[in-house]
Amino acid sequence: MNTKNVTALLRVLRVVVMATLVLAGTVSAETGVEPNRISIQSQDTNIGQVKVDSVLAAEDGWLVIYKNADGQLRSIVGYTPVHKGLNTGFTVDVNTVRIGEAPTLWAMLHVDYGAPGIFEWGLNNLACNDAPVEQKGQRVMAAFGTTATLPTSAAVPPAQPIPATQPSAYQITIQAQDTNKNQIVIDSVNAPETGWLVIYKNPNFDPSSILGYTPVRQGLNTNFIADIQSHKVGDAHTLFVRLHTDRDVVGVFEWGMSDLPYNDVPMLAGGQPVTAAFGTVAK
């Protein structure tokens, strides 16, 4: 092989090595992204099934539907297997009798560490091998509204529908995080109209459990901060966010606080409030 051919070969090898390094860097960057995520919308649960938009799972496991956010065995109303990677457009069979009038359900991701293909989390006297997935020290879960009767009081009017829009226009994305700094970070909110994102301590969503709120504009809002009262979080391991309208005095949050009226009602999608849950770092 002459000198010219050797030089050309070395150039080709150099290009291949550089391309490999770039590709490796890209893969590394991708794997650095948190791999577990659940996307699910408010919906009618009276048909015995829950529709799931998508689940991104780092490994094979289970998506479990709970009646309460505590993740206890007694709260399970249904479950289905999910495979490693992206799972889209699937359903979970649920027990409508056990759901009852619960206005909110929770979807939680579990591992499949015991016997493969058998959900082992205490049901039917099985072992509790398939524990909830944890990401950054918090369980991977998402809340969604149901068609069940929502708890109301005489002083709090029920939410009123807002003009119809595409379901994709209602979406809240928020990760588990440290809530001890009087602030939370919201990944994104896609709102069909200008309104408010309200943070609640309890899933009853009454004004007494509000920890904070922040305005959102119509359309996509990304990577923004909401001030909260961290001292009121206490030992709560899960907080809740809900979209509200801004219907009366613009720029003033009117939902029973400071003796104000209940004008800024929750936004509805498919007849249900637009809600999400996220894990906390409790004190």
Coordinates of all heavy atoms in Angstrom, one line a residue, residues 9 27 52 92 101 111 122 143 153 168 203 219 248 264 274 277:
L9 N -6.7 6.1 4.0 CA -7.3 5.2 5.0 C -7.4 5.8 6.4 O -8.4 5.7 7.1 CB -6.6 3.9 5.0 CG -7.1 2.8 5.9 CD1 -8.5 2.4 5.6 CD2 -6.2 1.6 5.9
V27 N -26.2 9.3 22.8 CA -26.8 8.3 23.6 C -26.7 8.6 25.0 O -27.7 8.4 25.8 CB -26.3 6.9 23.2 CG1 -26.8 5.9 24.2 CG2 -26.6 6.6 21.8
V52 N -55.0 5.3 28.7 CA -53.7 5.9 29.0 C -53.1 6.4 27.7 O -53.0 5.7 26.7 CB -52.8 4.8 29.7 CG1 -51.5 5.5 30.1 CG2 -53.5 4.2 30.8
V92 N -56.6 0.2 30.7 CA -56.4 -0.6 31.9 C -57.9 -0.9 32.4 O -58.7 0.0 32.6 CB -55.7 0.2 33.0 CG1 -55.5 -0.7 34.2 CG2 -54.4 0.7 32.5
E101 N -67.5 7.0 43.9 CA -67.6 8.4 43.5 C -66.3 9.2 43.7 O -66.3 10.4 43.8 CB -68.7 9.1 44.4 CG -70.1 8.5 44.2 CD -71.2 9.2 45.0 OE1 -70.8 10.0 45.9 OE2 -72.4 9.0 44.7
V111 N -42.5 -1.9 39.2 CA -41.5 -2.8 38.6 C -42.1 -4.2 38.4 O -43.2 -4.5 38.9 CB -40.2 -2.9 39.4 CG1 -39.6 -1.6 39.5 CG2 -40.5 -3.5 40.8
G122 N -49.0 -8.0 46.8 CA -49.9 -8.3 47.9 C -51.3 -8.8 47.5 O -52.0 -9.3 48.4
A143 N -52.0 12.0 38.4 CA -53.5 12.0 38.8 C -54.3 12.4 37.6 O -53.9 13.1 36.7 CB -53.6 13.0 39.9
S153 N -69.4 22.1 48.5 CA -70.1 22.6 49.7 C -71.1 23.7 49.2 O -71.0 24.2 48.1 CB -69.1 23.1 50.7 OG -68.5 24.3 50.1
S168 N -55.8 18.1 23.5 CA -54.4 18.4 23.5 C -54.1 19.8 24.1 O -52.9 20.1 24.5 CB -53.7 18.2 22.2 OG -54.3 19.2 21.3
P203 N -56.3 16.4 47.8 CA -57.1 16.1 46.6 C -58.5 16.5 46.7 O -59.3 16.3 45.8 CB -56.9 14.6 46.4 CG -56.7 14.1 47.7 CD -55.9 15.1 48.5
G219 N -52.2 29.0 25.8 CA -51.1 28.3 25.0 C -50.1 27.6 25.9 O -50.4 27.3 27.0
D248 N -63.4 36.8 36.0 CA -64.0 38.0 36.5 C -63.0 39.2 36.5 O -62.7 39.7 35.4 CB -64.7 37.8 37.9 CG -65.6 38.9 38.2 OD1 -66.5 39.2 37.4 OD2 -65.4 39.5 39.3
D264 N -63.2 32.2 39.6 CA -62.2 31.6 38.8 C -62.3 30.1 38.9 O -61.5 29.4 39.5 CB -60.8 32.1 39.1 CG -60.7 33.6 38.8 OD1 -61.5 34.1 38.1 OD2 -59.8 34.2 39.4
V274 N -58.9 19.8 35.1 CA -57.6 19.5 34.6 C -56.6 19.4 35.8 O -56.3 20.5 36.4 CB -57.1 20.4 33.5 CG1 -55.7 20.0 33.0 CG2 -58.1 20.5 32.4
A277 N -50.7 15.4 39.7 CA -50.1 15.2 41.0 C -48.6 15.1 40.9 O -48.1 14.7 39.8 CB -50.6 14.0 41.7

